[in-house]
Protein backbone atom coordinates (compact mmCIF):
# COMPACT_ATOMS: atom_id res chain seq x y z
CA UNK A 1 0.00 0.00 0.00
CA UNK A 2 1.57 3.22 -1.13
CA UNK A 3 0.20 6.57 0.13
CA UNK A 4 2.72 8.94 -1.40
CA UNK A 5 1.31 11.15 -4.14
CA UNK A 6 3.62 13.04 -6.44
CA UNK A 7 2.49 15.75 -8.82
CA UNK A 8 5.07 17.23 -11.15
CA UNK A 9 3.83 20.54 -12.49
CA UNK A 10 5.38 22.57 -15.26
CA UNK A 11 3.74 25.76 -14.01
CA UNK A 12 6.79 27.91 -13.41
CA UNK A 13 9.22 28.47 -16.24
CA UNK A 14 12.33 30.49 -15.51
CA UNK A 15 13.90 31.74 -18.69
CA UNK A 16 17.53 32.80 -18.32
CA UNK A 17 20.41 33.57 -20.66
CA UNK A 18 23.71 31.94 -19.74
CA UNK A 19 26.69 32.51 -22.08
CA UNK A 20 24.35 33.83 -24.77
CA UNK A 21 22.25 30.60 -24.79
CA UNK A 22 18.59 30.39 -23.82
CA UNK A 23 17.95 28.00 -20.90
CA UNK A 24 14.66 27.01 -19.25
CA UNK A 25 14.39 25.56 -15.72
CA UNK A 26 11.18 23.84 -14.70
CA UNK A 27 9.95 23.72 -11.11
CA UNK A 28 8.10 20.79 -9.53
CA UNK A 29 5.82 20.34 -6.52
CA UNK A 30 5.80 17.21 -4.33
CA UNK A 31 2.84 16.63 -1.98
CA UNK A 32 3.09 13.77 0.54
CA UNK A 33 1.15 12.65 3.61
CA UNK A 34 4.38 12.08 5.56
CA UNK A 35 4.86 15.75 6.41
CA UNK A 36 1.71 15.81 8.57
CA UNK A 37 3.21 13.44 11.17
CA UNK A 38 5.02 14.95 14.16
CA UNK A 39 7.00 13.75 17.13
CA UNK A 40 5.51 13.47 20.62
CA UNK A 41 7.54 16.51 21.79
CA UNK A 42 6.19 18.64 18.94
CA UNK A 43 2.60 17.59 19.69
CA UNK A 44 3.07 18.37 23.40
CA UNK A 45 4.61 21.84 22.83
CA UNK A 46 1.83 23.55 20.91
CA UNK A 47 1.38 27.34 20.59
CA UNK A 48 -1.64 27.11 22.92
CA UNK A 49 0.52 25.67 25.68
CA UNK A 50 3.04 28.48 25.19
CA UNK A 51 0.23 31.07 25.52
CA UNK A 52 -0.81 29.82 28.96
CA UNK A 53 -3.45 27.09 28.33
CA UNK A 54 -2.86 23.93 30.35
CA UNK A 55 -2.57 20.45 28.84
CA UNK A 56 -5.93 19.35 30.27
CA UNK A 57 -7.77 22.43 28.98
CA UNK A 58 -6.26 22.07 25.51
CA UNK A 59 -7.23 18.38 25.39
CA UNK A 60 -10.80 19.20 26.48
CA UNK A 61 -11.10 21.97 23.87
CA UNK A 62 -9.95 19.55 21.15
CA UNK A 63 -12.52 16.97 22.29
CA UNK A 64 -15.24 19.63 22.44
CA UNK A 65 -14.45 20.85 18.91
CA UNK A 66 -14.50 17.30 17.53
CA UNK A 67 -17.84 16.63 19.24
CA UNK A 68 -19.30 19.76 17.64
CA UNK A 69 -18.06 18.61 14.22
CA UNK A 70 -19.45 15.09 14.69
CA UNK A 71 -22.91 16.19 15.89
CA UNK A 72 -23.21 18.91 13.21
CA UNK A 73 -22.17 16.39 10.55
CA UNK A 74 -24.99 14.07 11.65
CA UNK A 75 -27.51 16.93 11.49
CA UNK A 76 -26.23 17.91 8.03
CA UNK A 77 -26.40 14.23 6.90
CA UNK A 78 -22.73 14.15 5.84
CA UNK A 79 -20.81 10.88 5.37
CA UNK A 80 -18.38 9.76 8.08
CA UNK A 81 -15.45 10.44 5.74
CA UNK A 82 -16.28 14.17 5.66
CA UNK A 83 -16.57 14.35 9.45
CA UNK A 84 -13.24 12.52 9.86
CA UNK A 85 -11.56 14.95 7.43
CA UNK A 86 -12.91 17.94 9.36
CA UNK A 87 -11.66 16.60 12.71
CA UNK A 88 -8.17 15.87 11.35
CA UNK A 89 -7.94 19.36 9.81
CA UNK A 90 -9.07 20.79 13.16
CA UNK A 91 -6.21 18.98 14.96
CA UNK A 92 -3.64 19.98 12.34
CA UNK A 93 -4.51 23.66 12.55
CA UNK A 94 -4.03 23.85 16.33
CA UNK A 95 -0.58 22.31 16.00
CA UNK A 96 0.62 25.54 14.37
CA UNK A 97 -1.78 28.14 15.82
CA UNK A 98 -3.00 29.03 19.29
CA UNK A 99 -6.50 28.58 20.70
CA UNK A 100 -6.09 31.90 22.51
CA UNK A 101 -6.03 33.88 19.24
CA UNK A 102 -8.37 31.71 17.10
CA UNK A 103 -11.85 30.76 18.32
CA UNK A 104 -12.42 26.97 18.33
CA UNK A 105 -16.13 27.26 17.39
CA UNK A 106 -15.41 29.34 14.28
CA UNK A 107 -12.65 26.91 13.29
CA UNK A 108 -14.92 23.87 13.80
CA UNK A 109 -17.52 25.46 11.48
CA UNK A 110 -14.81 26.29 8.92
CA UNK A 111 -13.41 22.73 9.12
CA UNK A 112 -16.77 21.04 8.46
CA UNK A 113 -17.54 23.57 5.71
CA UNK A 114 -14.19 22.86 3.99
CA UNK A 115 -14.31 19.08 4.52
CA UNK A 116 -17.77 18.86 2.94
CA UNK A 117 -16.39 20.53 -0.18
CA UNK A 118 -13.28 18.31 -0.21
CA UNK A 119 -15.34 15.11 -0.01
CA UNK A 120 -17.78 16.39 -2.69
CA UNK A 121 -20.75 16.76 -0.35
CA UNK A 122 -20.94 20.56 -0.11
CA UNK A 123 -23.31 22.26 2.33
CA UNK A 124 -24.42 25.86 2.55
CA UNK A 125 -22.70 28.00 5.16
CA UNK A 126 -26.13 29.10 6.35
CA UNK A 127 -27.07 25.49 7.24
CA UNK A 128 -23.78 24.95 9.09
CA UNK A 129 -24.25 28.10 11.22
CA UNK A 130 -27.85 27.11 11.96
CA UNK A 131 -26.74 23.60 13.06
CA UNK A 132 -24.12 24.96 15.46
CA UNK A 133 -26.67 27.47 16.81
CA UNK A 134 -29.14 24.63 17.41
CA UNK A 135 -26.51 22.49 19.21
CA UNK A 136 -25.62 25.42 21.47
CA UNK A 137 -29.27 25.99 22.40
CA UNK A 138 -29.77 22.30 23.23
CA UNK A 139 -26.65 22.29 25.45
CA UNK A 140 -27.85 25.40 27.31
CA UNK A 141 -31.29 23.76 27.72
CA UNK A 142 -33.07 26.53 25.85
CA UNK A 143 -36.04 26.10 23.50
CA UNK A 144 -34.53 25.69 20.01
CA UNK A 145 -35.27 28.61 17.70
CA UNK A 146 -33.83 29.26 14.24
CA UNK A 147 -31.33 32.08 13.83
CA UNK A 148 -32.42 35.39 12.35
CA UNK A 149 -30.66 35.38 8.99
CA UNK A 150 -31.29 39.08 8.44
CA UNK A 151 -29.65 40.24 11.68
CA UNK A 152 -26.12 41.40 12.44
CA UNK A 153 -25.30 38.25 14.44
CA UNK A 154 -25.65 35.96 11.42
CA UNK A 155 -23.67 38.31 9.14
CA UNK A 156 -20.85 38.56 11.70
CA UNK A 157 -20.72 34.78 12.18
CA UNK A 158 -20.72 34.18 8.45
CA UNK A 159 -17.77 36.55 7.96
CA UNK A 160 -15.91 34.88 10.85
CA UNK A 161 -16.40 31.41 9.31
CA UNK A 162 -15.17 32.58 5.88
CA UNK A 163 -12.09 34.18 7.46
CA UNK A 164 -11.42 31.02 9.51
CA UNK A 165 -11.63 28.87 6.35
CA UNK A 166 -9.08 31.08 4.57
CA UNK A 167 -6.80 30.99 7.59
CA UNK A 168 -7.10 27.19 7.78
CA UNK A 169 -6.11 26.78 4.13
CA UNK A 170 -3.25 29.27 4.48
CA UNK A 171 -1.73 27.63 7.58
CA UNK A 172 -1.99 24.12 6.10
CA UNK A 173 -0.49 25.33 2.82
CA UNK A 174 -3.59 24.12 0.91
CA UNK A 175 -2.43 20.55 1.67
CA UNK A 176 -5.75 19.11 2.88
CA UNK A 177 -5.25 15.54 1.66
CA UNK A 178 -6.22 13.04 4.40
CA UNK A 179 -5.91 9.24 4.51
CA UNK A 180 -8.23 7.19 6.73
CA UNK A 181 -7.90 3.71 8.25
CA UNK A 182 -11.55 2.87 7.54
CA UNK A 183 -10.83 1.04 4.28
CA UNK A 184 -7.69 -0.52 5.76
CA UNK A 185 -9.72 -2.12 8.56
CA UNK A 186 -12.08 -3.79 6.07
CA UNK A 187 -9.19 -4.92 3.83
CA UNK A 188 -7.14 -6.37 6.71
CA UNK A 189 -10.08 -8.20 8.29
CA UNK A 190 -11.33 -9.65 4.97
CA UNK A 191 -8.11 -10.51 3.11
CA UNK A 192 -5.38 -10.99 5.72
CA UNK A 193 -7.21 -12.26 8.80
CA UNK A 194 -10.33 -13.74 7.15
CA UNK A 195 -12.60 -12.23 9.79
CA UNK A 196 -15.01 -10.38 7.51
CA UNK A 197 -17.94 -12.54 8.68
CA UNK A 198 -17.35 -11.51 12.29
CA UNK A 199 -19.52 -8.39 12.25
CA UNK A 200 -19.02 -7.65 15.96
CA UNK A 201 -15.24 -7.45 15.52
CA UNK A 202 -15.61 -5.23 12.44
CA UNK A 203 -18.11 -2.90 14.16
CA UNK A 204 -15.98 -2.59 17.33
CA UNK A 205 -12.85 -1.79 15.30
CA UNK A 206 -14.84 0.79 13.33
CA UNK A 207 -16.08 2.41 16.58
CA UNK A 208 -12.56 2.60 18.01
CA UNK A 209 -11.48 4.17 14.74
CA UNK A 210 -14.11 6.93 14.95
CA UNK A 211 -13.37 7.63 18.63
CA UNK A 212 -9.64 7.91 17.95
CA UNK A 213 -10.37 11.01 15.85
CA UNK A 214 -10.89 12.99 19.08
CA UNK A 215 -7.35 12.26 20.27
CA UNK A 216 -3.99 13.28 18.79
CA UNK A 217 -3.03 9.84 17.38
CA UNK A 218 -3.50 11.05 13.79
CA UNK A 219 -0.75 13.62 14.38
CA UNK A 220 1.81 10.97 15.46
CA UNK A 221 0.99 7.72 13.64
CA UNK A 222 0.16 6.62 10.10
CA UNK A 223 -3.34 5.39 9.13
CA UNK A 224 -2.00 1.80 8.76
CA UNK A 225 -0.68 1.81 12.33
CA UNK A 226 -3.95 3.24 13.72
CA UNK A 227 -6.01 0.63 11.82
CA UNK A 228 -3.81 -2.20 13.16
CA UNK A 229 -4.13 -0.86 16.71
CA UNK A 230 -7.94 -0.69 16.47
CA UNK A 231 -8.14 -4.32 15.22
CA UNK A 232 -5.63 -5.47 17.88
CA UNK A 233 -7.62 -3.77 20.68
CA UNK A 234 -11.02 -5.07 19.53
CA UNK A 235 -9.61 -8.63 19.13
CA UNK A 236 -8.29 -8.56 22.72
CA UNK A 237 -11.67 -7.32 24.04
CA UNK A 238 -13.59 -10.01 22.07
CA UNK A 239 -10.90 -12.63 22.97
CA UNK A 240 -10.23 -13.57 19.38
CA UNK A 241 -6.84 -15.10 18.60
CA UNK A 242 -4.93 -13.55 15.70
CA UNK A 243 -1.70 -14.89 14.16
CA UNK A 244 1.33 -13.92 16.28
CA UNK A 245 4.07 -16.03 14.69
CA UNK A 246 4.94 -14.03 12.67
CA UNK A 247 2.88 -11.04 13.95
CA UNK A 248 0.30 -9.96 11.39
CA UNK A 249 0.73 -6.21 12.06
CA UNK A 250 4.40 -6.23 11.04
CA UNK A 251 3.30 -6.53 7.41
CA UNK A 252 1.98 -2.97 7.67
CA UNK A 253 5.14 -1.52 9.34
CA UNK A 254 3.58 -1.54 12.80
CA UNK A 255 5.08 -2.80 16.06
CA UNK A 256 3.46 -4.11 19.21
CA UNK A 257 4.64 -1.04 21.18
CA UNK A 258 2.83 1.25 18.73
CA UNK A 259 -0.36 -0.81 18.99
CA UNK A 260 -0.19 -0.61 22.79
CA UNK A 261 0.46 3.17 22.75
CA UNK A 262 -2.45 3.90 20.35
CA UNK A 263 -4.82 1.58 22.25
CA UNK A 264 -3.90 3.25 25.57
CA UNK A 265 -4.60 6.71 24.11
CA UNK A 266 -8.01 5.59 22.80
CA UNK A 267 -9.01 3.94 26.10
CA UNK A 268 -7.91 7.03 28.08
CA UNK A 269 -10.43 9.17 26.19
CA UNK A 270 -13.26 7.04 27.65
CA UNK A 271 -12.04 7.73 31.21
CA UNK A 272 -12.10 11.53 30.83
CA UNK A 273 -15.02 13.55 32.29
CA UNK A 274 -17.28 15.51 30.02
CA UNK A 275 -15.68 18.88 29.17
CA UNK A 276 -17.16 21.90 31.00
CA UNK A 277 -17.78 24.61 28.41
CA UNK A 278 -18.01 27.53 30.86
CA UNK A 279 -14.80 26.53 32.63
CA UNK A 280 -12.95 26.25 29.32
CA UNK A 281 -14.22 29.66 28.17
CA UNK A 282 -13.00 31.23 31.44
CA UNK A 283 -9.57 29.64 30.96
CA UNK A 284 -9.38 30.93 27.37
CA UNK A 285 -10.41 34.47 28.44
CA UNK A 286 -7.79 34.52 31.22
CA UNK A 287 -5.09 33.36 28.80
CA UNK A 288 -6.27 35.98 26.28
CA UNK A 289 -5.88 38.80 28.84
CA UNK A 290 -2.38 37.58 29.75
CA UNK A 291 -1.48 37.39 26.06
CA UNK A 292 -2.67 40.98 25.45
CA UNK A 293 -0.62 42.26 28.40
CA UNK A 294 2.45 40.39 27.18
CA UNK A 295 1.94 41.71 23.66
CA UNK A 296 1.66 45.34 24.80
CA UNK A 297 4.77 44.94 26.99
CA UNK A 298 6.74 43.43 24.08
CA UNK A 299 5.64 46.24 21.75
CA UNK A 300 6.81 48.82 24.29
CA UNK A 301 10.18 47.07 24.63
CA UNK A 302 10.52 46.88 20.83
CA UNK A 303 9.80 50.58 20.55
CA UNK A 304 12.42 51.40 23.20
CA UNK A 305 14.98 49.22 21.40
CA UNK A 306 14.24 50.99 18.11
CA UNK A 307 14.79 54.37 19.77
CA UNK A 308 18.08 53.16 21.28
CA UNK A 309 19.23 51.81 17.89
CA UNK A 310 18.38 55.12 16.24
CA UNK A 311 20.42 56.99 18.82
CA UNK A 312 23.35 54.59 18.42
CA UNK A 313 23.24 54.86 14.63
CA UNK A 314 23.07 58.66 14.86
CA UNK A 315 26.11 58.71 17.14
CA UNK A 316 28.11 56.24 15.08
CA UNK A 317 27.41 57.68 11.62
CA UNK A 318 27.38 61.41 12.51
CA UNK A 319 30.12 63.51 10.75
CA UNK A 320 33.12 64.61 12.75
CA UNK A 321 32.34 67.87 14.48
CA UNK A 322 34.96 70.02 16.15
CA UNK A 323 34.37 70.30 19.85
CA UNK A 324 33.84 73.94 20.67
CA UNK A 325 34.45 75.10 24.19
CA UNK A 326 31.50 76.73 25.83
CA UNK A 327 31.85 80.44 26.27
CA UNK A 328 32.51 81.49 29.78
CA UNK A 329 29.52 83.52 30.92
CA UNK A 330 30.46 86.66 32.85
CA UNK A 331 29.33 86.86 36.47
CA UNK A 332 25.88 88.36 36.87
CA UNK A 333 25.82 91.98 38.04
CA UNK A 334 24.02 92.67 41.34
CA UNK A 335 20.68 94.43 40.93
CA UNK A 336 20.69 98.06 42.17
CA UNK A 337 18.38 99.10 44.97
CA UNK A 338 15.21 101.14 44.19
CA UNK A 339 16.75 104.37 45.47
CA UNK A 340 19.79 103.85 43.20
CA UNK A 341 17.46 103.18 40.26
CA UNK A 342 15.68 106.52 40.87
CA UNK A 343 18.97 108.45 41.08
CA UNK A 344 20.18 106.81 37.84
CA UNK A 345 16.99 107.81 36.06
CA UNK A 346 17.29 111.39 37.39
CA UNK A 347 20.88 111.67 36.18
CA UNK A 348 19.80 110.40 32.73
CA UNK A 349 17.03 113.00 32.79
CA UNK A 350 19.50 115.76 33.65
CA UNK A 351 21.95 114.63 30.94
CA UNK A 352 19.46 114.19 28.13
CA UNK A 353 17.08 116.93 29.14
CA UNK A 354 14.16 114.65 28.30
CA UNK A 355 10.68 115.29 29.59
CA UNK A 356 9.83 111.57 29.58
CA UNK A 357 10.63 111.21 33.29
CA UNK A 358 8.95 112.84 36.22
CA UNK A 359 10.60 114.21 39.41
CA UNK A 360 10.34 110.91 41.31
CA UNK A 361 12.18 109.10 38.49
CA UNK A 362 9.18 107.19 37.14
CA UNK A 363 8.46 107.24 33.44
CA UNK A 364 5.75 109.59 32.30
CA UNK A 365 2.67 107.86 30.96
CA UNK A 366 1.78 108.78 27.39
CA UNK A 367 -1.87 108.45 26.48
CA UNK A 368 -2.72 107.10 23.09
CA UNK A 369 -4.25 109.66 20.72
CA UNK A 370 -8.00 109.77 20.77
CA UNK A 371 -9.74 107.95 18.01
CA UNK A 372 -11.26 110.48 15.67
CA UNK A 373 -14.01 108.37 14.10
CA UNK A 374 -15.68 105.33 15.66
CA UNK A 375 -17.04 102.58 13.40
CA UNK A 376 -20.50 102.75 14.97
CA UNK A 377 -21.20 106.41 15.64
CA UNK A 378 -21.52 108.82 12.73
CA UNK A 379 -18.36 110.79 11.92
CA UNK A 380 -17.99 114.13 13.59
CA UNK A 381 -17.07 117.07 11.49
CA UNK A 382 -13.88 118.96 12.14
CA UNK A 383 -15.48 122.40 12.61
CA UNK A 384 -17.90 121.10 15.29
CA UNK A 385 -15.05 120.89 17.79
CA UNK A 386 -13.94 124.43 17.23
CA UNK A 387 -17.47 125.87 17.47
CA UNK A 388 -17.50 125.26 21.23
CA UNK A 389 -14.17 127.03 21.62
CA UNK A 390 -15.47 130.04 19.71
CA UNK A 391 -18.63 130.14 21.83
CA UNK A 392 -16.62 130.43 25.03
CA UNK A 393 -16.63 133.97 26.28
CA UNK A 394 -13.67 135.75 27.77
CA UNK A 395 -15.54 136.19 31.05
CA UNK A 396 -15.72 132.43 31.59
CA UNK A 397 -12.07 131.78 30.80
CA UNK A 398 -11.02 131.79 34.48
CA UNK A 399 -13.83 129.37 35.44
CA UNK A 400 -12.80 127.06 32.62
CA UNK A 401 -9.21 127.09 33.76
CA UNK A 402 -10.31 126.10 37.28
CA UNK A 403 -12.43 123.27 35.85
CA UNK A 404 -9.49 122.01 33.82
CA UNK A 405 -7.29 121.97 36.94
CA UNK A 406 -9.88 119.93 38.81
CA UNK A 407 -10.02 117.49 35.88
CA UNK A 408 -6.25 117.02 35.95
CA UNK A 409 -6.35 116.34 39.71
CA UNK A 410 -9.13 113.78 39.19
CA UNK A 411 -7.06 112.12 36.45
CA UNK A 412 -4.09 111.82 38.82
CA UNK A 413 -6.32 110.29 41.45
CA UNK A 414 -7.65 107.79 38.90
CA UNK A 415 -4.10 106.82 37.88
CA UNK A 416 -3.08 106.17 41.47
CA UNK A 417 -6.26 104.20 42.16
CA UNK A 418 -5.71 102.09 39.00
CA UNK A 419 -2.19 101.17 40.16
CA UNK A 420 -3.60 100.14 43.55
CA UNK A 421 -6.31 98.11 41.81
CA UNK A 422 -3.71 96.30 39.65
CA UNK A 423 -1.69 95.29 42.73
CA UNK A 424 -4.85 94.13 44.53
CA UNK A 425 -6.00 92.18 41.42
CA UNK A 426 -2.68 90.30 41.29
CA UNK A 427 -3.10 89.36 44.98
CA UNK A 428 -6.67 88.18 44.26
CA UNK A 429 -5.46 86.02 41.37
CA UNK A 430 -2.86 84.34 43.61
CA UNK A 431 -5.55 83.61 46.22
CA UNK A 432 -7.86 82.22 43.53
CA UNK A 433 -5.09 79.97 42.16
CA UNK A 434 -4.39 78.57 45.63
CA UNK A 435 -8.10 77.92 46.18
CA UNK A 436 -8.31 76.20 42.78
CA UNK A 437 -5.36 73.92 43.63
CA UNK A 438 -6.91 73.09 47.00
CA UNK A 439 -10.23 72.18 45.38
CA UNK A 440 -8.42 69.95 42.80
CA UNK A 441 -6.56 68.08 45.55
CA UNK A 442 -9.77 67.59 47.54
CA UNK A 443 -11.50 66.24 44.42
CA UNK A 444 -8.65 63.76 43.83
CA UNK A 445 -8.83 62.55 47.43
CA UNK A 446 -12.60 62.08 47.15
CA UNK A 447 -12.16 60.03 43.93
CA UNK A 448 -9.54 57.80 45.59
CA UNK A 449 -11.82 57.24 48.59
CA UNK A 450 -14.69 56.32 46.25
CA UNK A 451 -12.49 53.81 44.36
CA UNK A 452 -11.31 52.20 47.62
CA UNK A 453 -14.94 51.98 48.81
CA UNK A 454 -16.02 50.31 45.55
CA UNK A 455 -13.14 47.79 45.73
CA UNK A 456 -14.03 46.89 49.32
CA UNK A 457 -17.68 46.56 48.32
CA UNK A 458 -16.71 44.23 45.43
CA UNK A 459 -14.56 42.09 47.74
CA UNK A 460 -17.40 41.77 50.24
CA UNK A 461 -19.80 40.84 47.45
CA UNK A 462 -17.40 38.16 46.09
CA UNK A 463 -17.00 36.73 49.61
CA UNK A 464 -20.79 36.57 50.04
CA UNK A 465 -21.18 34.88 46.64
CA UNK A 466 -18.49 32.36 47.53
CA UNK A 467 -20.19 31.58 50.85
CA UNK A 468 -23.53 31.17 49.07
CA UNK A 469 -21.99 28.81 46.50
CA UNK A 470 -20.27 26.76 49.23
CA UNK A 471 -23.50 26.49 51.21
CA UNK A 472 -25.43 25.51 48.06
CA UNK A 473 -22.85 22.83 47.18
CA UNK A 474 -22.96 21.45 50.76
CA UNK A 475 -26.75 21.38 50.62
CA UNK A 476 -26.62 19.46 47.33
CA UNK A 477 -24.12 16.96 48.76
CA UNK A 478 -26.37 16.36 51.77
Amino acid sequence: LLYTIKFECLTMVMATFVDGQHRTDYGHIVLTTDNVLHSAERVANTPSRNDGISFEDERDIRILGCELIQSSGLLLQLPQVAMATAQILFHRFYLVKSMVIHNYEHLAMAAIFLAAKIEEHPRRIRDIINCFHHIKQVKDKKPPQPMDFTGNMYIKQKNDVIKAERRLLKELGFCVHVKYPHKIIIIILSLMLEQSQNTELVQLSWNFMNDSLRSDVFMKYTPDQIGCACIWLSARIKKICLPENPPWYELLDCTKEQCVAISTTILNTYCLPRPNVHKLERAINAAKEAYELKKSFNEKQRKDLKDIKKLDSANSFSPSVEIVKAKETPPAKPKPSPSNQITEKLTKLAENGSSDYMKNGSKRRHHSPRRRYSPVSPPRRKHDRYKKKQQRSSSDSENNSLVRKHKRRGHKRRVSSSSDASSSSSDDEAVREEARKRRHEEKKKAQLKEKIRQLEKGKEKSKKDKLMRDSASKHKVR
Side-chain angles (χ1 to χ4, degrees):
L1 296 171
L2 185 66
Y3 293 102
T4 304
I5 304 168
K6 294 185 178 180
F7 299 100
E8 295 193 1
C9 304
L10 305 177
T11 55
M12 186 185 294
V13 179
M14 296 176 287
T16 55
F17 288 92
V18 180
D19 298 330
Q21 295 180 356
H22 182 265
R23 194 188 75 182
T24 56
D25 296 333
Y26 301 99
H28 65 280
I29 300 168
V30 179
L31 299 175
T32 66
T33 55
D34 298 331
N35 57 358
V36 297
L37 301 179
H38 303 277
S39 62
E41 293 177 0
R42 174 71 183 82
V43 173
N45 296 323
T46 56
S48 304
R49 297 288 303 282
N50 297 332
D51 286 341
I53 294 178
S54 63
F55 172 76
E56 291 79 12
D57 290 341
E58 185 184 3
R59 180 194 61 204
D60 291 344
I61 290 166
R62 285 176 182 271
I63 291 169
L64 188 63
C66 292
E67 282 180 1
L68 285 171
I69 290 168
Q70 188 74 25
S71 51
S72 64
L74 292 171
L75 288 172
L76 292 165
Q77 296 180 357
L78 286 169
Q80 182 60 35
V81 177
M83 291 184 268
T85 304
Q87 292 177 58
I88 292 167
L89 294 177
F90 183 82
H91 284 298
R92 285 182 188 174
F93 180 81
Y94 281 123
L95 271 179
V96 292
K97 286 294 174 182
S98 174
M99 295 174 180
V100 175
I101 304 167
H102 306 285
N103 191 354
Y104 72 94
E105 286 186 7
H106 296 161
L107 194 77
M109 284 191 263
I112 195 78
F113 181 54
L114 181 62
K117 289 191 280 187
I118 290 167
E119 300 301 330
E120 297 181 358
H121 291 86
R123 295 290 184 270
R124 289 188 303 176
I125 195 167
R126 174 178 169 177
D127 297 337
I128 291 167
I129 292 169
N130 202 9
C131 283
F132 274 80
H133 182 66
H134 176 78
I135 292 163
K136 197 173 183 180
Q137 285 177 333
V138 170
K139 280 187 178 178
D140 295 340
K141 297 178 181 178
K142 293 180 182 178
Q145 292 178 352
M147 184 180 278
D148 183 16
F149 296 113
T150 59
N152 293 329
M153 186 179 174
Y154 169 72
I155 294 164
K156 185 180 178 300
Q157 241 177 356
K158 183 180 178 182
N159 292 334
D160 290 338
V161 173
I162 291 165
K163 285 177 187 175
E165 186 195 11
R166 288 177 188 168
R167 205 175 290 117
L168 179 64
L169 287 167
K170 176 179 169 283
E171 295 303 328
L172 297 180
F174 288 82
C175 184
V176 291
H177 183 71
V178 178
K179 281 284 179 182
Y180 321 97
H182 295 77
K183 290 180 182 178
I184 297 162
I185 288 171
I186 304 299
I187 291 166
I188 292 168
L189 288 172
S190 59
L191 297 178
M192 289 177 61
L193 303 176
E194 297 179 355
Q195 295 285 339
S196 59
Q197 301 300 323
N198 194 343
T199 54
E200 290 183 0
L201 181 65
V202 175
Q203 186 62 49
L204 190 60
S205 303
W206 190 272
N207 293 341
F208 283 139
M209 216 339 282
N210 290 333
D211 293 335
S212 68
L213 292 165
R214 299 182 187 184
S215 64
D216 57 357
V217 292
F218 278 90
M219 307 297 106
K220 297 187 281 188
Y221 303 101
T222 61
D224 298 345
Q225 293 167 351
I226 295 166
C228 292
C230 291
I231 294 167
W232 182 82
L233 179 61
S234 54
R236 284 178 70 86
I237 290 169
K238 291 292 180 183
K239 296 180 181 180
I240 296 170
C241 294
L242 297 176
E244 289 287 339
N245 194 13
W248 60 274
Y249 41 77
E250 286 185 357
L251 295 172
L252 298 166
D253 296 331
C254 183
T255 61
K256 190 174 183 180
E257 290 78 12
Q258 288 173 341
C259 289
V260 171
I262 295 166
S263 303
T264 307
T265 306
I266 294 168
L267 291 173
N268 284 337
T269 55
Y270 299 120
C271 302
L272 296 172
R274 197 167 187 80
N276 188 350
V277 180
H278 301 294
K279 182 191 169 186
L280 294 174
E281 284 179 356
R282 283 198 297 271
I284 290 168
N285 290 331
K288 209 174 269 185
E289 288 176 5
Y291 174 78
E292 291 293 335
L293 285 170
K294 188 179 176 183
K295 188 180 177 183
S296 61
F297 180 71
N298 289 339
E299 282 178 359
K300 192 177 178 183
Q301 275 192 335
R302 209 177 293 119
K303 204 172 183 181
D304 294 341
L305 283 170
K306 277 184 181 178
D307 294 339
I308 291 163
K309 283 178 182 177
K310 280 180 184 177
L311 287 170
D312 292 343
S313 61
N315 292 332
S316 59
F317 293 104
S318 60
S320 59
V321 181
E322 293 181 1
I323 299 166
V324 181
K325 289 185 179 179
K327 292 181 180 179
E328 294 181 358
T329 55
K333 292 180 180 180
K335 288 184 177 181
S337 61
S339 60
N340 293 337
Q341 287 180 0
I342 291 166
T343 52
E344 283 179 5
K345 287 177 182 179
L346 287 169
T347 51
K348 284 181 181 179
L349 179 61
E351 288 173 1
N352 300 329
S354 174
S355 62
D356 289 344
Y357 293 90
M358 293 194 287
K359 288 181 181 180
N360 60 353
S362 62
K363 199 167 185 180
R364 192 183 297 279
R365 188 176 294 215
H366 292 283
H367 298 287
S368 59
R370 191 174 177 183
R371 194 168 180 176
R372 184 170 289 181
Y373 303 114
S374 69
V376 180
S377 62
R380 281 194 293 177
R381 292 178 183 175
K382 195 172 183 182
H383 65 271
D384 290 343
R385 259 189 280 169
Y386 295 104
K387 270 185 184 179
K388 291 179 183 179
K389 288 183 182 180
Q390 289 171 6
Q391 286 171 5
R392 286 175 193 166
S393 61
S394 60
S395 62
D396 298 333
S397 61
E398 291 180 2
N399 295 330
N400 290 335
S401 64
L402 287 170
V403 170
R404 280 197 290 275
K405 282 180 183 177
H406 285 301
K407 280 184 180 178
R408 285 195 200 112
R409 284 174 191 166
H411 176 68
K412 285 179 183 178
R413 285 184 200 131
R414 281 198 298 275
V415 169
S416 62
S417 63
S418 65
S419 64
D420 295 337
S422 64
S423 63
S424 64
S425 65
S426 63
D427 295 338
D428 293 340
E429 282 179 6
V431 170
R432 279 194 219 101
E433 187 66 29
E434 286 178 4
R436 202 180 294 116
K437 284 181 181 177
R438 206 180 300 113
R439 283 198 300 274
H440 186 65
E441 288 175 0
E442 287 174 0
K443 192 176 179 182
K444 273 191 174 179
K445 285 178 184 177
Q447 286 176 356
L448 283 170
K449 283 180 183 177
E450 183 65 24
K451 281 184 181 178
I452 291 162
R453 191 176 65 76
Q454 286 178 1
L455 286 169
E456 288 175 354
K457 195 175 178 182
K459 285 180 182 177
E460 288 176 4
K461 192 176 179 183
S462 62
K463 282 180 183 177
K464 285 180 184 177
D465 294 342
K466 192 176 180 183
L467 288 169
M468 290 288 287
R469 284 197 297 273
D470 293 342
S471 63
S473 62
K474 285 177 183 177
H475 183 68
K476 282 181 183 178
V477 169
R478 286 173 187 172

